[in-house]
Amino acid sequence: MSKRPRATQTKQRPARRTSAGPIAFFVALFIVALGLIQLISTFHSYALDLSELNSLRKQEAALVAQKQELENDIERWDDDAYVTAQARERLGYVFPGEQPIRVEHPEAVTGRKAPPPLDGADETQESTLPWYSEMAYSFKEADAGKDKTRGARTDDKADSETDGKAGADGAAAPSDDQSKEQQ
């Protein structure tokens, strides 16, 4: 067989080994990239869960405060003096023998501007009557409007009957009901 020098044979072997190096490098780089992506997604979900937890804690604190406020309201309404004060203030109730006095413009008496309404309504609201007086006023206005329209309707009806059923001599003809009764 032919004898080749050993140096030539050894040169070909390292060429084969160097081709596996870049492939191994890219595989390792791919594995590291996948690990980083997994790690980043884990931290992202942790941050989202942490923010949701903080939000729920704030919501819980608000609900606890609201519950405490409602319990205080219940205790307040159990007190007879508070109920009496609310009936006097909100509904205008007085005890027998007392003379109720209502100041229409408290700023004229005290010199201070009236406090803004608690419900956040606009201060340009013209109504200064309490709700029960407003309701009574609305009922009176509605009844007055009904009476006015009833009077107008009956006048119009009488005029139309007279115009439509007048005879040749100008006298009103009897209505259908009257003619049925005569027969």
Side-chain angles (χ1 to χ4, degrees):
M1 301 209 200
S2 70
K3 290 188 178 185
R4 293 187 186 167
R6 285 189 162 196
T8 322
Q9 291 176 352
T10 56
K11 285 184 182 178
Q12 292 175 354
R13 284 187 187 171
R16 290 181 188 166
R17 287 184 188 167
T18 57
S19 64
I23 294 174
F25 173 75
F26 285 115
V27 168
L29 186 64
F30 181 73
I31 290 173
V32 168
L34 283 177
L36 283 175
I37 291 171
Q38 185 67 31
L39 188 64
I40 290 171
S41 68
T42 302
F43 280 127
H44 179 69
S45 64
Y46 172 74
L48 289 176
D49 290 346
L50 188 63
S51 67
E52 184 179 354
L53 179 66
N54 289 335
S55 169
L56 290 174
R57 284 183 181 163
K58 287 179 185 177
Q59 186 179 5
E60 178 190 19
L63 289 174
V64 167
Q66 183 182 7
K67 177 186 173 205
Q68 185 62 38
E69 184 180 327
L70 291 173
E71 287 175 351
N72 290 341
D73 284 347
I74 290 171
E75 290 175 10
R76 213 175 299 140
W77 281 100
D78 286 338
D79 184 18
D80 290 337
Y82 181 77
V83 172
T84 303
Q86 291 301 310
R88 286 173 166 262
E89 180 182 329
R90 292 182 182 187
L91 302 175
Y93 285 0
V94 294
F95 285 112
E98 288 183 343
Q99 180 89 22
I101 298 174
R102 183 160 48 111
V103 178
E104 291 294 325
H105 302 288
E107 63 270 1
V109 176
T110 61
R112 291 182 279 161
K113 190 173 182 180
L118 296 177
D119 62 355
D122 193 11
E123 290 184 23
T124 61
Q125 186 177 6
E126 295 179 19
S127 174
T128 57
L129 297 175
W131 67 269
Y132 50 88
S133 296
E134 283 282 335
M135 187 171 62
Y137 177 75
S138 297
F139 286 150
K140 287 177 187 174
E141 287 295 312
D143 288 341
K146 227 185 241 186
D147 292 340
K148 288 177 186 176
T149 56
R150 276 188 189 158
R153 284 185 185 165
T154 55
D155 292 342
D156 291 342
K157 190 174 182 182
D159 290 343
S160 66
E161 286 178 358
T162 305
D163 293 341
K165 296 185 180 181
D169 59 354
S175 67
D176 291 335
D177 295 334
Q178 291 175 347
S179 62
K180 286 180 185 176
E181 290 174 8
Q182 290 174 357
Q183 294 175 354

